[in-house]
Amino acid sequence: MKCETQMPSSPLSHDDINALLNNYMNDNPKIGYLSFDVYQDSPVEGRVPIPNAVITVSQDLGYGYYFANVAATDDSGETKPISLPTLDRSLSLSPGQEKVCSFYNVHVQAPGYNPADFYGIQVFDGITTFQHANLIPVVNEYQ
Amino acid sequence: MVIISRPEVPFIPENIIVHLGNPDQQAENVTVPFPTYIKNVASATVYPTWPESAIRAIIYAEISFALNRVYTEWYRSRGYDFDITNSPQFDQSFEYERDFYDNISKIVDEIFNSYIIRRGSTEPLFTPVCDSKMTTCTGLTMWGAVQLAQQGYTPYQILQNYFGEDINIVTDVPVNANFESYPLYPLSLGSFGRDVAIIQQELNRIGNNYPTIPRISNVDGVFSAETEAAVKAFQTIFHLTPDGVVDSATWYRIKYIYNSVKGLSGLFSEGISPGELQNPFAVAWQEGDSGVWVELIQYYVRALACYYKDVPLINITGYFGPETTEAVKALQTKYGIIIDGVVGIQTWAKLDSDYKNVYQKIPPGCFENKTLYPGYLIYKGMGDKNVTLMQTYLQKIAQYYPQIPQLAVTGIFDDQTEAAVKAFDQYFLGEGTGIIGPITWSKIAAVYENLPGQNTQQTS
């Protein structure tokens, strides 16, 4: 499959989508983890965890398709580590490699809060990456 | 803040102020807890997949570099209002609010209060770390460190390779903050004291915001099974090893999270309520004090005096008199710590760990009983061979003393065990806490050993 264009000219066939996904899994044969910690820094209550925030982790595969994973936070504002495909760790052990891990984008949303986005979070083979998300409540001036 | 018997060393700052740009560039200053700063810098500079020795060496260097900037007031003495910049050209990379890695986080929690010095100096060493893109480098190079680690170098050897043979790593440096520094010994099931009471209070407050942390119903300074459960839940939430032991990493994480749930570092803050300042435990015990905790200190001092011979032997009276002061001073001399006759955190830590090492070698005749106190409080919710032993003793004692209720040997310090211990205390010692400390232990053992038929069976 050639990456001639990022724009879908017409919907891909089922086989093409499978091929796209297989290519991605072949390029990223190992597993790394991403864990989120979602909270609000309230001026009154201090740090308060936000439960039931929805975390969407994604990677653009081209042609309008994405590799994606969705998780929700627990009562402590945390997700279980989300498993994600990444490169082999051996690549990171010598200098001069162009790419040593995979990168993911994340969208965080929770009712009553402004959503937050994170781009290019690095995920390494066998390592858990933590990302804090400090959300700001929605303020409606007309209520 | 009162620091007792601690050496004169530069402190670790609670927070560090980072300028997000070159020194003369207009940019925001951000205030970041010191361990968070180091986690960020390390995550921005190393690959988390590198050998652990290389990662540790680099983190030590990054800590020392930052502390050197703070301690020498590199920027402040030049009129700037920050401690360090985030520019790799001037200092070290820092990407505000970036992600960080679990293995790096664990290492930093463990060593953020350590730094490198040149032998004979107390100043944190200037230890620049260079990445491969820099053309000239006078410090540690990352890939060089990785290669050395792959050859089996330890973190210390890697650092010696770049910064000279004559370096030392100073550990357990106190943190200069609105909280107390790590008491220098881990708190776990069976520990007690003011530090435990404070941790219990703080975990309960954190639990208001984090409901998965179970409440500790008795904030009494005794590290109970409930306390252990709360510590484990805290460790799970905040990515520490959930072992239920408050070591340096857990101690400081509790303090930082407590401050952040209370907003103590922010503009609006909850403040500290009067209840939080009241505490059943003193910071230190000295001549003139009395009570059960003095009794306990005297028990340790007497035991160690029996062992060492050159320390004056004292009696357990519950009153901290001049004889106790003299014996404490003799032990402090032996340990090479400040000789003031006051039992503060450092002296207590020494007594506690030394007793655990030698209690099985204490000569007979030091105490009335032969089976000596194992060195930790035995309390409701615990279960180990010493609980079984105490239950066996109490069961036998109950056969001769009707005042003590009958109990079954279960191996777990349960309600029936507590009832028996309370009744025993009441009858033999005149007060009943239901906790087996050295005094209760010694009495139970002595009574048991003197029961008819027990004398002939004693083999020791």
Side-chain angles (χ1 to χ4, degrees), chain B residues 240-263:
Chain B
L240 296 153
T241 309
D243 55 7
V245 176
V246 180
D247 56 3
S248 168
T250 302
W251 172 273
Y252 285 115
R253 190 59 87 74
I254 291 173
K255 302 290 173 184
Y256 275 106
I257 297 295
Y258 175 72
N259 273 1
S260 78
V261 298
K262 290 202 55 136

Side-chain angles (χ1 to χ4, degrees), chain B residues 78-206:
Chain B
R78 287 164 174 75
Y80 297 104
D81 58 349
F82 49 83
D83 298 315
I84 200 163
T85 75
N86 76 338
S87 157
Q89 192 190 337
F90 292 89
D91 298 308
Q92 41 198 10
S93 291
F94 169 85
E95 299 162 10
Y96 189 46
E97 305 218 303
R98 70 155 285 146
D99 52 302
F100 57 94
Y101 306 108
D102 61 342
N103 55 339
I104 287 175
S105 174
K106 282 207 171 82
I107 295 171
V108 173
D109 281 332
E110 189 190 316
I111 66 172
F112 80 92
N113 54 344
S114 315
Y115 55 79
I116 309 164
I117 54 163
R118 183 80 58 213
R119 269 172 219 157
S121 162
T122 55
E123 184 178 301
L125 192 62
F126 182 72
T127 49
V129 174
C130 322
D131 68 24
S132 51
K133 286 168 225 140
M134 292 184 180
T135 45
T136 55
C137 179
T138 53
L140 180 152
T141 64
M142 301 244 185
W143 286 111
V146 172
Q147 264 177 14
L148 293 177
Q150 282 165 341
Q151 289 166 30
Y153 278 54
T154 63
Y156 182 58
Q157 288 168 330
I158 295 172
L159 292 167
Q160 280 186 316
N161 184 72
Y162 289 103
F163 302 114
E165 296 281 313
D166 61 334
I167 55 165
N168 277 342
I169 296 175
V170 192
T171 60
D172 289 315
V173 180
V175 177
N176 189 14
N178 66 350
F179 50 69
E180 270 134 344
S181 290
Y182 179 58
L184 300 175
Y185 63 101
L187 306 174
S188 60
L189 208 55
S191 300
F192 66 92
R194 186 174 186 272
D195 298 317
V196 177
I198 293 171
I199 287 292
Q200 288 173 324
Q201 222 158 50
E202 290 172 346
L203 285 170
N204 274 349
R205 175 59 188 86
I206 294 168

Side-chain angles (χ1 to χ4, degrees), chain A residues 109-130:
Chain A
Q109 63 188 113
Y113 293 89
N114 288 304
D117 287 288
F118 299 86
Y119 300 101
I121 297 179
Q122 302 182 342
V123 174
F124 283 86
D125 178 6
I127 303 281
T128 303
T129 304
F130 296 130

Side-chain angles (χ1 to χ4, degrees), chain A residues 47 76 78 92 122 128 130, chain B residues 49-50 100 102 209-210 237:
Chain A
R47 177 188 170 125
S76 305
E78 305 207 333
S92 63
Q122 302 182 342
T128 303
F130 296 130
Chain B
T49 43
W50 282 351
F100 57 94
D102 61 342
N209 289 31
Y210 287 85
I237 296 173

